[in-house]
Amino acid sequence: MKKFAPIFLVLALVFSCNQEPERVLPPNTYEISIKTAGVYNGIRAYLNTVDNRGREIKVDTAMIVNEGAIFSGKVIEPQFILLTVDGVQGNIQFILEPGISEIEVYKDSIHKSKVAGSPLNEGHTAYKEAYIASVEEAQEVRQQANLLGRSADTTGYAELYYKSIDMAQALKTFGYDYIDENADDEFALLLLESQIVGAQQNLERFKKNYEAVKKHISKKPAYLKKKNRIESFIGQLEAVANVEIGKVAPDFSALTPNGDMLALNDIKGKATIIDFWASWCGPCRRENPNVVRVYNKYHDKGLEIISVSLDRPNQKDKWLAAIEKDKLTWHHVSNLKYFNDPVAMLYNVNAIPATFILDENGKIVAKKLRGKALEDQIANMLK
């Protein structure tokens, strides 16, 4: 048997030499090779992100050669990206992240293209397939209900109709539910981040989802940015919830023009107006005469006003000059931090003028009132 040993050794060396070593890209580098059967040479393909206004912004461009192309570049953190090809209708969404990926593009149905090369994209594909299946099922039930509703025999119509309503409602919370059921998948963290849109999110469900997926944050240093964005968004949702009509207005303290601290709870009356404004704000300054008139008319009946100025740093002189010029003789505070003012952030104020009207118990009874609407509200409260 010894005479066969060298042969086995040679064969082992041959096979080991023929195996190509796995390529490793430099840190934070991506390489995406796409196969585009049926797409002509010279056609361009693009990687695009989508900004907060829904506009597509080009990240990378590649030219099709021999029914394929290669994108390469730098990416710090995994993010959703769109692949588009000139002359091909639609796009495909996938996750751009460091490493090597492959995409097989189907030009006649690009949304069905296959992405391979990373667990995150596998998770994304599973999510898209589950969502599309739910949409198609809901559409089928709705179509069946519509057909039955137009038929001579409508038996069972009501059951199908209400089932379609329930399924449509379930689609609105599909993301929450999917994260609940797939929290162990790292993709769930990216899915949660993608839902940072608007102020209509369900705060409790969003927070529950975050608690379930935050375990993934330690897996990549870049995920700290996602952590900060998610927690900042939760803070915004909480701020919105805290200043809904019917809630007790959050107390706050800030510096007066004299440098003293003044708290909301120290000055509340039978009716209280919290007025966010700034010396540089034209609409605020034009509204000030109306607020002055309302204050002078109802202060003796129990009206108090505390104005929170969002003037910029190092512009205290402009703030004080505006108070004097507009004859604003009520309470004033400011941190001189523009829209980064902690009181403005507490009340989710991102545009001025903004008002919150409180009753004698400190509950918010109205907000965003100006002109005659403001006076009518105060008049009804102080009859």
Side-chain angles (χ1 to χ4, degrees), residues 331-343:
H331 304 287
H332 293 272
V333 295
S334 181
N335 292 289
L336 298 174
K337 291 185 177 181
Y338 194 49
F339 281 95
N340 291 321
D341 186 289
V343 183

Side-chain angles (χ1 to χ4, degrees), residues 98-148:
I100 300 173
S101 300
E102 297 178 352
I103 302 178
E104 187 173 354
V105 177
Y106 304 138
K107 73 169 188 173
D108 296 327
S109 52
I110 191 172
H111 63 283
K112 294 182 179 180
S113 301
K114 293 183 179 180
V115 183
S118 76
L120 285 178
N121 275 304
E122 290 175 3
H124 186 212
T125 298
Y127 167 75
K128 288 191 294 184
E129 290 175 349
Y131 182 75
I132 291 171
S134 295
V135 170
E136 292 176 345
E137 184 181 3
Q139 290 175 339
E140 183 179 352
V141 171
R142 186 58 181 263
Q143 289 172 359
Q144 291 175 354
N146 289 339
L147 288 173
L148 195 56

Side-chain angles (χ1 to χ4, degrees), residues 84-309:
T84 60
V85 180
D86 283 343
V88 176
Q89 186 176 4
N91 58 54
I92 178 173
Q93 184 188 64
F94 69 101
I95 296 172
L96 179 65
E97 60 178 319
I100 300 173
S101 300
E102 297 178 352
I103 302 178
E104 187 173 354
V105 177
Y106 304 138
K107 73 169 188 173
D108 296 327
S109 52
I110 191 172
H111 63 283
K112 294 182 179 180
S113 301
K114 293 183 179 180
V115 183
S118 76
L120 285 178
N121 275 304
E122 290 175 3
H124 186 212
T125 298
Y127 167 75
K128 288 191 294 184
E129 290 175 349
Y131 182 75
I132 291 171
S134 295
V135 170
E136 292 176 345
E137 184 181 3
Q139 290 175 339
E140 183 179 352
V141 171
R142 186 58 181 263
Q143 289 172 359
Q144 291 175 354
N146 289 339
L147 288 173
L148 195 56
R150 293 192 295 266
S151 67
D153 182 3
T154 59
T155 303
Y157 167 74
E159 180 181 355
L160 278 178
Y161 173 78
Y162 287 112
K163 181 179 179 180
S164 72
I165 295 296
D166 290 341
M167 294 177 76
Q169 187 62 37
L171 286 174
K172 295 180 180 179
T173 61
F174 186 88
Y176 297 131
D177 298 334
Y178 191 88
I179 292 172
D180 282 342
E181 296 168 6
N182 298 274
D184 290 337
D185 188 340
E186 190 175 331
F187 165 74
L189 174 63
L190 278 72
L191 178 59
L192 181 64
E193 184 194 24
S194 74
Q195 298 189 86
I196 299 180
V197 287
Q200 303 305 314
Q201 292 281 0
N202 183 308
L203 174 59
E204 294 308 315
R205 293 220 58 186
F206 194 92
K207 290 171 67 174
K208 179 184 176 184
N209 280 170
Y210 180 51
E211 288 301 316
V213 303
K214 64 192 306 183
K215 58 191 174 186
H216 299 299
I217 291 173
S218 61
K219 294 180 179 179
K220 293 181 175 69
Y223 281 171
L224 288 176
K225 293 183 178 181
K226 298 188 183 301
K227 173 180 181 290
N228 293 337
R229 284 193 287 267
I230 291 172
E231 292 183 354
S232 176
F233 183 64
I234 289 174
Q236 293 174 26
L237 292 179
E238 290 176 334
V240 171
N242 288 338
V243 293
E244 290 178 348
I245 291 177
K247 294 289 187 69
V248 174
D251 190 26
F252 60 84
S253 298
L255 290 172
T256 68
N258 295 327
D260 300 322
M261 293 296 294
L262 178 64
L264 169 65
N265 285 345
D266 291 338
I267 57 92
K268 285 187 295 190
K270 292 182 179 178
T272 305
I273 299 174
I274 306 173
D275 179 31
F276 290 88
W277 75 299
S279 65
W280 50 262
C281 171
C284 303
R285 302 295 295 275
R286 290 191 290 273
E287 174 68 7
N288 276 345
N290 178 61
V291 182
V292 168
R293 183 174 54 81
V294 172
Y295 180 75
N296 291 338
K297 186 174 181 179
Y298 293 99
H299 176 56
D300 290 342
K301 296 182 179 181
L303 173 63
E304 295 291 347
I305 300 178
I306 181 167
S307 285
V308 182
S309 168

